[in-house]
């Protein structure tokens, strides 16, 4: 099987999350093996982006024992986008199936993505992401904006084209490799995130269809630490800063300033009143939703001066880089 040109390459990156990675791989490897047995040659390409825990040992054992072809690479430690590009550069498949180390692929995940791509000839397919919360937490305790910040990705029960401006995420998508190469992969300047939205914006600009496949489901594992307000604040700031860079890429100066004006209006007319009234009524769900939205706006507004003046090394933007020395999220300045 190793000598065959694979149909599908599952591409992943990881950094110092061995326990989560073990769960992700345990859900992926059987699906790859099943496809290989059916004659759909598949492989796994994984970038270890500077792990300091037991990840290298875990990957070494996996490579020795797995029946699925596995390529393990050392990452550049310059951001998630660069690590994803490195994985794609070493992939041999016609299709790139992207996945993250803090997820579990539900049965049939990869087959569902591949089947829709084969049946429609669409070059990009996105799947559904469901939040898997720790014990003691339930989804009805979180509002829609908080769930979106945490990565929930649900767009209806049937396959359909994504609406304009709505895109898959890089942690659950199937992309034709020749298209990925044509577009030059992910833009590594997006160190705060949004490299996936930028990539799919460029796919849309080519007129290529992007489809949603609800049957391709993955669980996004949310540890209790990510529900802490400090972590939610960091994530919201990061998404806001990423969107500032994304809109600057589309229309320098005009688009990000227009977005900033819109977000200020949203903060004044919706989020601050919601925070005030929910505080009076002690509605914690609506309070947290309002805070996440305000943090998002804060991230966008704080990132704009550095982005507009081409200062990628500003302390605020640096504090939002996902890859840090110990694999932990830093505290924004």
């Amino acid at each position: 099987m190793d000598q065959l040109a694979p149909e599908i390459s599952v591409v992943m990156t990881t950094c110092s999350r061995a326990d989560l990675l073990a769960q992700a791989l345990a859900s992926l490897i059987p699906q790859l093996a099943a496809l290989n047995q059916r004659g759909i040659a598949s492989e796994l390409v994984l970038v270890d982006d500077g792990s300091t825990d037991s990840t290298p040992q875990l990957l070494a054992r996996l490579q020795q024992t797995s029946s699925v072809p596995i390529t393990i690479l050392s990452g550049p430690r310059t951001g998630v986008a660069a690590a994803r590009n490195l994985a794609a550069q070493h992939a041999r498949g016609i299709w790139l199936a992207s996945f993250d180390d803090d997820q579990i692929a539900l049965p049939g995940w990869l087959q569902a993505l591949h089947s829709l791509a084969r049946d429609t000839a669409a070059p990009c397919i996105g799947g559904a992401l469901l939040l898997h919360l720790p014990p003691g937490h339930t989804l009805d305790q979180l509002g829609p904006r908080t769930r979106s910040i945490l990565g929930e990705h649900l767009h209806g029960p049937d396959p359909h084209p994504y609406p304009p401006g709505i895109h898959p995420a890089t942690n659950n998508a199937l992309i034709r490799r020749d298209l990925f190469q044509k577009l030059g992969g992910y833009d590594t300047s997006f160190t705060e995130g949004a490299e996936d939205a930028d990539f799919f914006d460029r796919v849309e600009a080519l007129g290529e269809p992007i489809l949603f496949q609800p049957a391709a489901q993955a669980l996004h594992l949310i540890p209790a630490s990510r529900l802490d307000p400090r972590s939610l604040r960091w994530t919201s700031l990061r998404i806001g800063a990423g969107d500032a860079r994304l809109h600057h890429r589309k229309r320098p100066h005009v688009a990000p300033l227009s977005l900033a004006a819109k977000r200020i209006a949203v903060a004044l007319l919706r989020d601050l009143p919601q925070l005030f009234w929910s505080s009076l009524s002690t509605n914690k769900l609506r309070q947290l939703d309002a805070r996440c939205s305000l943090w998002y706006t804060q991230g966008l507004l704080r990132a704009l001066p550095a982005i507009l003046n081409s200062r990628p090394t500003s302390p605020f933007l640096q504090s939002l880089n996902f890859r840090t020395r110990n694999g932990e999220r830093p505290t924004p300045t």
Side-chain angles (χ1 to χ4, degrees), residues 17-18 23 30 51 53 58 70 75-76 94-95 111 126 135 141 153 162-163 176 200 205 243 260 262 278 285 289 310:
R17 298 203 287 195
Q23 295 180 71
S51 293
D53 62 356
L58 167 67
I70 298 176
I94 297 171
W95 294 96
Q111 181 180 345
Q141 296 172 330
H153 191 79
Y162 278 89
R176 206 173 60 220
F200 289 114
D243 279 358
K262 176 182 177 181
S278 60
L285 182 151
D289 248 20
S310 300

Side-chain angles (χ1 to χ4, degrees), residues 39-197:
I40 303 175
S42 307
E43 65 172 358
L44 173 66
V45 181
L46 194 148
V47 172
D48 181 2
D49 207 21
S51 293
T52 57
D53 62 356
S54 61
T55 295
Q57 292 77 20
L58 167 67
L59 294 177
R61 290 194 301 270
L62 179 70
Q63 201 168 32
Q64 291 174 354
T65 60
S66 175
S67 61
V68 173
I70 298 176
T71 300
I72 298 172
L73 306 164
S74 295
R77 293 285 290 176
T78 55
V80 176
R84 294 190 194 280
N85 285 343
L86 179 63
Q89 289 164 11
H90 287 79
R92 300 177 296 138
I94 297 171
W95 294 96
L96 304 176
S98 55
F99 204 73
D100 270 3
D101 60 1
D102 59 351
Q103 299 176 172
I104 293 176
L106 295 183
W109 166 74
L110 188 54
Q111 181 180 345
L113 287 174
H114 183 255
S115 295
L116 186 60
R118 180 194 58 205
D119 294 345
T120 63
C124 297
I125 311 290
L129 282 171
L130 298 84
L131 301 184
H132 186 271
L133 303 181
H137 298 270
T138 59
L139 287 176
D140 59 12
Q141 296 172 330
L142 303 175
R145 277 170 262 163
T146 306
R147 289 161 68 163
S148 177
I149 288 292
L150 289 169
E152 185 177 72
H153 191 79
L154 301 172
H155 294 284
D158 302 308
H160 62 272
Y162 278 89
I166 306 296
H167 302 122
T170 52
N171 50 1
N172 188 351
L174 186 73
I175 305 165
R176 206 173 60 220
R177 184 164 63 97
D178 60 352
L179 177 62
F180 187 88
Q181 293 172 331
K182 177 180 180 179
L183 291 173
Y186 301 114
D187 186 334
T188 57
S189 70
F190 282 78
T191 55
E192 312 84 36
E195 75 282 349
D196 45 2

Side-chain angles (χ1 to χ4, degrees), residues 200-216:
F200 289 114
D201 268 348
R202 289 183 277 137
V203 172
E204 275 189 342
L206 292 178
E208 297 282 6
I210 307 172
L211 305 183
F212 174 65
Q213 170 58 293

